[in-house]
Amino acid sequence: MAGLVAAFLAGAPLIAIAAGSWAHTGNLRQQAAQESWHQVHAVVLQAAPRQATFRHASFPSWVRARWTSPGGQSRVGYVPAPPGSRPGSRVLVWADRTGPVAGVQLTSDVVTAREIAAAMLAPAGLALVLLGLARAVRWLLDRRRLAAWEAAWTSTGPQWTPRG
């Protein structure tokens, strides 16, 4: 157990730094891909379902819409629209060359939050792996100890039992 605690104490800072760096690289890649995004106005062609009255969050529905690409080409496809959107209403969506994309562009706050979350969760994952390893090693050692005890009892037990 002491070895596993030492491994955690030595590995946690390293894995936190590595996870934060990995998240940072992924965020940079995503931001680079999002540089080709632009906002377009899409005209809703079908009504979006209404939101249930008991829900507090409003999740967009994907509805058929028409928009004009930056090259001037008219396109038709599915875009996220607020619940209850009516045909003919306009929604603002992010789009790339292939069409509308879900979500919004990454902000610096989201990037920072992702990097902090990765740096915090990685040591927790390491702790879980090490705890699993400790359980497995303990199980193996208990199994070996019990096998040795059974072998010793098998040789000693008949000497204590009266022969009749």
Side-chain angles (χ1 to χ4, degrees):
M1 287 303 279
L4 291 176
V5 170
F8 176 77
L9 292 176
L14 299 175
I15 201 165
I17 292 168
S21 175
W22 173 74
H24 180 72
T25 303
N27 287 329
L28 289 178
R29 233 178 314 180
Q30 188 173 356
Q31 283 181 325
Q34 290 176 347
E35 287 179 3
S36 66
W37 290 11
H38 51 277
Q39 285 190 312
V40 294
H41 287 282
V43 178
V44 176
L45 300 177
Q46 73 183 59
R50 290 202 175 278
Q51 179 180 357
T53 57
F54 58 85
R55 289 190 184 162
H56 296 285
S58 60
F59 299 103
S61 302
W62 285 82
V63 297
R64 222 167 139 71
R66 181 181 66 247
W67 69 93
T68 304
S69 67
Q73 183 181 17
S74 181
R75 293 186 166 205
V76 175
Y78 288 90
V79 300
S85 296
R86 298 178 183 268
S89 62
R90 294 169 56 106
V91 292
L92 194 60
V93 295
W94 285 99
D96 62 7
R97 287 176 281 149
T98 61
V101 292
V104 295
Q105 288 190 328
L106 286 180
T107 63
S108 61
D109 291 341
V110 171
V111 169
T112 303
R114 284 181 176 182
E115 291 170 9
I116 290 172
M120 289 175 59
L121 290 175
L126 176 63
L128 289 175
V129 168
L130 292 176
L131 284 173
L133 182 62
R135 297 276 298 198
V137 167
R138 185 174 183 160
W139 179 78
L140 287 172
L141 291 174
D142 283 347
R143 188 171 164 182
R144 188 172 134 191
R145 182 180 51 83
L146 288 174
W149 180 83
E150 184 177 358
W153 179 254
T154 303
S155 66
T156 308
Q159 296 172 4
W160 291 359
T161 307
R163 295 176 195 207

